[in-house]
Amino acid sequence: MNARVERIAMTPKAAELLRSLRATHGKPLMFHQSGGCCDGSAPMCFTQGFYIVGPTDVHLGDLDIGPDPDIDPEGIVPVHISREQFNYWSHTHITIDVVPGRGAGFSIEGPTGMRFMIRSRIFTEEETALLAAEPAR
């Protein structure tokens, strides 16, 4: 059996907010994990196509929030990070969570009174070995 290590996850509260945002905006969603500056180190949520992922971005993985037949038949929220930022975070599992408060001005959850945040942990030695066999793209 081939074990697979996921680099990204979400809490049930984050999934709930994502489904609500998808319904409100009428489009599939995506995240880009920012690297600091104006928006701190917040996961930034956008409708797909609004934020253009570039050749220097790394795909961390996908979050499955469940399909919506009218808006998003697949229900997949891709998560990206800049390659430079990934170099710092490559040893870290990221979980997207949500807490009360005002987030960064560019992320679409701002008006909800909630904000996305990350929780992280260092990968175990076993996870690190498995990840080495499947490099991020």
Side-chain angles (χ1 to χ4, degrees), residues 85-116:
Q85 190 70 10
F86 177 74
N87 290 336
Y88 293 108
W89 289 68
S90 62
H91 63 283
T92 307
H93 180 274
I94 295 173
T95 299
I96 296 178
D97 198 358
V98 64
V99 295
R102 180 92 168 102
F106 301 114
S107 191
I108 65 172
E109 83 279 5
T112 69
M114 303 296 285
R115 67 180 181 92
F116 289 111

Side-chain angles (χ1 to χ4, degrees), residues 61-74:
D62 296 314
L63 304 173
D64 186 347
I65 62 170
D68 179 319
D70 297 325
I71 299 171
D72 181 12
E74 295 180 15

Side-chain angles (χ1 to χ4, degrees), residues 10 14-25 27-34 39 41-52 63 65 72 76-80 96-98 103-112 114-118:
M10 68 185 154
E16 182 180 324
L17 180 57
L18 286 167
R19 285 188 289 272
S20 174
L21 290 168
R22 177 179 63 189
T24 298
H25 292 273
K27 296 181 180 180
L29 305 174
M30 59 91 61
F31 274 105
H32 192 274
Q33 173 59 47
S34 70
D39 53 18
S41 292
M44 305 292 283
C45 185
F46 305 102
T47 56
Q48 288 184 23
F50 178 80
Y51 182 92
I52 305 301
L63 304 173
I65 62 170
D72 181 12
I76 299 299
V77 179
V79 181
H80 294 85
I96 296 178
D97 198 358
V98 64
F106 301 114
S107 191
I108 65 172
E109 83 279 5
T112 69
M114 303 296 285
R115 67 180 181 92
F116 289 111
M117 64 172 286
I118 57 166

